[in-house]
Amino acid sequence: MGKDHLRYDGPIKVSGSAKYASDVQPDGWLYGMILRSPWPAARIRGIDLRPALSVPGIRAAVTANDPPFTVRYCGEELAAVAGLSKQACLDALRAIKVDADLLPFVVKEEAALRDTSPRVFENLPNAGQPREMQTGDVDGAFGISYKTVQGFFQTQVQLHQCLETHGNTIQVTPEEITCWASTQGIFSVRDSLADSIGMPMDKVHVISEFMGGGFGSKYGAGVEGGLAVRLSKEARLPVRLMLTRFDEALAVGNRPSSFQKVRLSASKDGTLVAYELEAFGTAGYASGGTTAGGGGGAGFPAPYIYQIPSTRVRQTTVAINAGSARAMRAPGHPQASFGMESILDEMALALGMDPVELRIKNDPSEIRRQQYKIAAERFGWNARYRSVASSEGPVKSGVGCAGATWGGGGRDSEAEVRINPDGSVEVRCGTQDLGTGTKTLIAIVAAEVFGLEPVAISASIGDTTFPPSGGSGGSTTAASVAPAVFDACQNALADLRSASGISDPTGLNWRTATARLRINPVVARGRWKEGLSSRGVGGVQMAEVEVDTETGFVRVKRIVCVQDCGLVINRLASISQINGGIILGIGFALYEERILDDQTGVVLNPNFETYKLPGAADVPEIDVILQDMPERGVIGIGEPVTIPTAAAIANAVSNAIGKRVTRLPITPPQILGLLGKLPGNPSGYKSGTS
Amino acid sequence: MDEQISRRSFFRNVSSAAIAGALAKVTAAAQSVDSLDGQKPLGPEPIKLVLQVNGSRHEVEVEPRVTLLDVLRNRLRLTGAKEVCDRATCGACTVLVNGQPVYSCMKLAVEMQAHEITTIEGLGSPTNLTPIQRALVDCDALMCGYCTPGFVMSLTALFSAKPKPTLEEIKKACSGNLCRCGTYPRIFEATQRVAEAGPS
Amino acid sequence: MQNFEYVAARSVDGAIQLSTSESRFLAGGIDLLGEMKEYITSPKRIIDIKLIPGLDQIDTSTSIWKLGANVTITEIAKNKQILTALPGLAEAASEVGSPQIRNVATLGGNLAQHSRCWYYRHRDLRCLKRGGSTCYARDGENKYHSLFSGNPCISPVVSNLAVILAALNARVNVRRGDKEIALTIGELFSDAWNNPLAHNSLLPGDLIADVEIPTQKTRSTYLQVSEKGAFDWALVSCAAAGRKTGDQLADVSVFLGAVAPIPFRVESPLLERGDLSTEAIESIAESVASKATPMAHNGYKVPIAQALIRRALARIVS
């Protein structure tokens, strides 16, 4: 525990031998493809599949819904086909005749809030019921405070952009369904498939040994899974239905946008006394809706990690004709962090206080206060922070910081351990590995209990015939699975003791003890218990950037991250998670935005050409201090590490140019606008894409 | 908005009858062309191709519009190269063509005859990894693993050209490969480790 | 993609002979196959020109170098002679796409490539350039679009090589039927300035054979700014080239990319005079602003263009 352990499945992945859902090829498999609405809003009167069925090679075609029905975003499913080749499917989709009445639509949040705009749902206003919260006496507190600052901050809709698209390879026979899924939750897939086709759950077998990324978007079988089942049933052959990259930008989730009007006040010594937030954002046409995963609307915690005595918060989720949001790595928190940490830096400037000092003064978490101190020292904060842009030449340096919080924690999970007479050990758990290292983690825990090397443990996951575990989300997998495996191993050890008569069968005694089993293995189960995991982590990041004030180009030079996660099981994998979360945060800060066109309602960038992911050239020096706190048990690390990155970068950019960044992503147009360099529009730039 | 699809039908121009008619017309045209080079147009019906992949000869019969990636994955069952974007923007489909990294999603299978194609399966195996593969594993330079074969191809080509690349050269060699899990820092570390060890 | 016939031409005459009103030439394939996968274009016949002998040569034997249309971008970026004598060309080539793209993309294809406007390339739209009635970019999301245009379409030229080759006074030799015509880069793109349907002045069936580049301009450079650090289209690019005579520079030309449907010439009497003092460079850069007609979201391209002009000129002066 707490050491570096090589990833179990490294060799099989690095040699291209790992089979993902998109690679599995059962005999006779067919290619599946979905026809999607090109219209942002339409009443579908009829879908004629007959021309598709006469395309050579096509073996099945189904509609996604029975006309008449209403589609509410570009990308909503209309029909699906299965055939002998991708080419046959492409031809078949183009042959399908759809009869549709186009309806008015709205795709911009501010427009959607207006009463005069088209409604996404005929009998509902686009703006949902606001969520309101008040504490203390906000107006009174603002009235008497020493300094007040305000701002208007915006964050964009971000896409998950898992490299392996959503989808499944599904084989339906009258007796059962086998589904190789790209998923974060094999049991959620099993349950939704069983439900969609009316089969008992134990007749649905879901397998996901390897999957190419989820980030929160892959729960349930999705509309695509349901369609694949129906196609497979009709064709009497397995169907592989994976989405295309185009589809991924439209229909399988996103992080909601945010528009945040913030006011913050403090007393003379820097204590925060009052906070007001009026915010709205979109979670698409419906958060959750007919798609799996939900997302809880566009709300987020406010005033995020700070406890301010007087607060007033009002948040509204507004519907637009766009694909529904789904939980995306730390849902709500990156938006919350950006708004809160930006206004906090405004306050630091107003008070003439160091931003780190202001945070330490107001942060209720002892862990985070310590993390700021550790980070500041590693980063060289005092040497680097200057309250005004001070570098010579057009390229200006700046620094910024931000903090995070996350729950994590464990929940019910089971595991099974089998100790064989030859000394080999197998652990089975119906959990998932998204690249998170779960398989390896299982081996480490078992190895720790049995006094063996992790390579002596065979860990199997990703199969619903294994003991159940929860979906891999909320940064809960390690905290759920580790205790369950630990418990199972303890139970197995007890059985081995009594079967072998050796009081300590671990380590050097292992072969002797297991040999005494003769022909009967030990099989024991275990379950997650309270006490081995807990909830609540912090996290602090500091960023150093360079901004070319003539071109607006931003380069992140360095990120320092101090992160806790309770008990560290595999250091190597944990730091990989941290790198990954930070790089995702850089994408949120500088490059990524799903862009809708308000004339046509289409997504303009359903590709990697103009939906820009950080590449090798965009990665800064990343310096991580991972805090191991074994006494707190396992907590989880996947999400907290992506929360404060964009906020820290935004603060650093603002520090570099001496103007407040108000919108993500931070791109050259915004920088040049803030610096007053736009022709005919000296102090700002038009809203729209950044 | 009228340039979008009309009310009455989704794809006015394309019905199965129209496809058949078009194919008939094209085939007829091919037969009447006096092709100077003695080259007869192939297709559009499936054509027999011979591809050299990982030192082996493969015969396939596919339409001209089928990409190399499609043939590798779906006909030859070489699923190491992945279909992630299908638009030459992410590198997950990278293979080596005569030793050079190329996006296999943007190559027609029919163009690829008489070329040496190397896929990830033609490099190491789980029990016999190449030095760069070993280094990637040892440095934990992979997470979900979906982008990894593409990176291995690009880095393998890099080492063929430059046994001791600098960090700048490594980043440039990787600039056509995306990783959503964010393993870049460790990919650099692994590659630098191999560079320091020298050619083997 | 729609299905098609495929044929590999073995000579330029053969390629021309094989072309029809519904055929396209296939070189690297990055642009063509991308359009076909979105059904922007669905040729009935693809004529592969990569096997035509002689089109992949780099001939530096005279003072006017000749690069065949099939020379790859990688070959241009790595060619030692080009790196020394035409550094701007090597710089422009090294910024094209990614290594995988550079390995297959060709000089001819890079010049002839079609618009990258996201309205033009969207499978479900039919914009002005595709024969529809609306340029959606004008009133829409136009952050990547032209500052200057002579027609209602504001899709900008995105070929890196076009910009530097314009500055180097290159000539493009095009086979049109039986004839061979020589076009300046300006002529190669002029139709795109006037005609919303045009990406360039090439007619269907035209085949770029080679590009001739005089080598008198001993100083050249190419710069671009993108949002990402690599593998990203230029927001604005700039090429500058001039001929060193003593400690002066003569025949200096400066072109901007991604701001107009054509490589946009920066015109100034100071440039013509060869006055490249710091003040003159400042003034040349400033002059760009007066002619620009920014859209709602692309005004930022003006200061970037000005910065690149300053930097490119400073580079070739020093």
Side-chain angles (χ1 to χ4, degrees), chain B residues 3 26 30 34 37 39 42 44 63-65 86-87 94 101-103 105-107 111 154 172 175-177, chain C residues 1 3-6 8 10-11 14 17 28 33 37-38 44 50 98-101 103-104 126 133 231:
Chain B
E3 264 61 55
V26 169
D34 171 19
D37 308 323
Q39 296 296 299
L42 304 169
E63 291 175 340
R65 58 177 162 166
D86 200 35
R87 294 291 186 277
T94 303
V102 148
Y103 293 136
C105 70
M106 279 313 211
K107 282 280 152 221
E111 307 174 66
S154 292
K172 192 160 191 196
S175 60
N177 292 79
Chain C
M1 290 191 258
N3 210 358
F4 50 82
E5 295 183 312
Y6 168 92
R10 300 292 177 161
S11 66
Q17 180 88 3
L33 297 185
K37 288 182 179 189
E38 301 294 342
K44 301 276 199 309
K50 291 191 289 296
S98 66
Q100 292 94 322
I101 287 178
N103 288 340
V104 305
R126 208 166 131 252
S133 61
F231 196 9

Side-chain angles (χ1 to χ4, degrees), chain C residues 127-147:
Chain C
C127 71
L128 184 66
K129 201 167 210 64
R130 284 180 59 197
S133 61
T134 314
C135 168
Y136 295 107
R138 281 205 170 254
D139 291 327
E141 303 296 340
N142 49 42
K143 73 184 276 202
Y144 296 132
H145 291 72
S146 296
L147 291 173

Side-chain angles (χ1 to χ4, degrees), chain A residues 76-90:
Chain A
E76 189 162 350
E77 298 84 359
L78 296 176
V81 300
L84 295 174
S85 68
K86 180 179 179 178
Q87 293 71 35
C89 290
L90 286 169

Side-chain angles (χ1 to χ4, degrees), chain A residues 291-453:
Chain A
T291 59
F300 52 86
Y304 199 42
I305 51 185
Y306 302 98
Q307 284 158 6
I308 302 174
S310 299
T311 64
R312 183 161 55 218
V313 171
R314 191 163 187 272
Q315 299 195 50
T316 307
T317 298
V318 60
I320 60 172
N321 291 98
S324 151
R326 293 188 189 182
M328 181 171 179
R329 201 164 180 177
H333 283 231
Q335 306 91 298
S337 174
F338 170 64
M340 190 67 227
E341 301 285 354
S342 297
I343 199 69
L344 209 57
D345 259 28
E346 277 293 280
M347 180 57 79
L349 283 175
L351 293 171
M353 244 179 117
D354 178 281
V356 172
E357 223 185 283
L358 180 61
R359 283 163 175 81
I360 291 176
K361 184 166 186 59
N362 284 285
D363 198 321
S365 157
E366 171 62 21
I367 286 183
R368 254 195 321 269
R369 289 197 297 268
Q370 286 307 316
Q371 289 172 333
Y372 274 114
K373 293 183 180 137
I374 296 168
E377 213 211 290
R378 176 68 75 95
F379 188 79
W381 176 269
N382 291 333
R384 282 171 172 72
Y385 176 70
R386 297 284 177 273
S387 62
V388 290
S390 61
S391 354
E392 291 289 314
V395 178
K396 307 282 185 204
S397 297
V399 298
C401 65
T405 186
W406 192 253
R411 52 177 172 198
D412 205 15
S413 175
E414 294 176 35
E416 181 186 277
V417 178
R418 179 193 183 95
I419 304 174
N420 294 310
D422 66 356
S424 62
V425 179
E426 294 169 55
V427 183
R428 293 179 154 198
C429 181
T431 184
Q432 295 79 211
D433 188 331
L434 324 182
T436 39
T438 314
K439 227 186 195 189
T440 312
L441 176 146
I442 290 172
I444 294 168
V445 171
E448 180 91 6
V449 174
F450 300 142
L452 303 171
E453 287 301 309

Side-chain angles (χ1 to χ4, degrees), chain A residues 112-167:
Chain A
L113 285 171
R114 293 197 284 268
D115 287 327
T116 48
S117 285
R119 282 183 162 189
V120 176
F121 288 90
E122 309 74 57
N123 46 359
L124 289 174
N126 293 331
Q129 274 293 95
R131 286 181 5 202
E132 291 173 296
M133 196 192 69
Q134 278 203 101
T135 61
D137 170 18
V138 169
D139 296 315
F142 274 119
I144 58 167
S145 59
Y146 174 68
K147 276 271 189 272
T148 299
V149 289
Q150 57 195 31
F152 185 70
F153 300 100
Q154 296 176 52
T155 65
Q156 74 285 40
V157 170
Q158 185 183 24
L159 300 174
H160 302 74
Q161 295 289 29
C162 318
L163 291 201
E164 187 187 27
T165 62
H166 290 63

Side-chain angles (χ1 to χ4, degrees), chain A residues 6-7 10-20 22-23 25 29 31 35-36 38-39 51 54 85-87 91 93-102 105 158-161 163-165 211-213 215 240 245 328 434-435 572-573 575-577 579-580 583-584 592 599-600 602 608-609 611 613-616 619 622, chain B residues 1 4-11 14-16 19 63 65-67 70 73-75 77-87 89-90 92 120-121 124-127 129 132-134 136-149 151-152 170-172 174-175 177-186 188:
Chain A
L6 291 190
R7 204 172 286 263
I12 199 175
K13 284 176 176 171
V14 85
S15 59
S17 318
K19 295 290 183 195
Y20 298 73
S22 49
D23 297 327
Q25 298 182 21
W29 69 277
Y31 213 100
L35 181 69
R36 295 183 182 274
W39 312 288
S54 32
S85 68
K86 180 179 179 178
Q87 293 71 35
D91 289 346
L93 291 191
R94 288 175 70 75
I96 295 173
K97 287 195 174 51
V98 180
D99 194 3
D101 293 330
L102 306 189
F105 63 90
Q158 185 183 24
L159 300 174
H160 302 74
Q161 295 289 29
L163 291 201
E164 187 187 27
T165 62
M211 64 87 83
F215 308 109
R240 178 211 289 171
R245 186 54 46 189
M328 181 171 179
L434 324 182
L572 199 61
I575 295 193
S576 288
Q577 273 284 48
N579 288 341
I583 290 168
L584 187 71
E592 299 182 41
Q599 299 158 99
T600 60
V602 303
F608 289 143
E609 185 193 342
Y611 186 94
L613 300 188
V619 175
I622 299 176
Chain B
M1 204 47 177
Q4 271 187 296
I5 319 302
S6 76
R7 181 197 188 283
R8 275 254 41 103
S9 101
F10 189 38
F11 290 106
V14 183
S15 68
S16 57
I19 293 175
E63 291 175 340
R65 58 177 162 166
V66 174
T67 63
D70 192 337
R73 286 181 55 76
N74 301 320
R75 324 279 166 147
R77 299 192 159 222
L78 295 168
T79 57
K82 306 298 185 198
E83 181 175 327
V84 165
C85 76
D86 200 35
R87 294 291 186 277
T89 55
C90 76
I120 186 76
E121 291 87 351
S125 71
T127 49
L129 301 175
I132 184 61
Q133 287 174 316
R134 182 77 249 158
L136 291 169
V137 171
D138 290 345
C139 294
D140 205 44
L142 58 123
M143 293 184 74
C144 83
Y146 214 62
C147 72
T148 310
F151 272 96
V152 173
I170 293 167
K171 287 186 176 184
K172 192 160 191 196
C174 290
S175 60
N177 292 79
L178 293 178
C179 170
R180 190 42 158 176
C181 297
T183 62
Y184 302 106
R186 292 196 151 158
F188 304 152

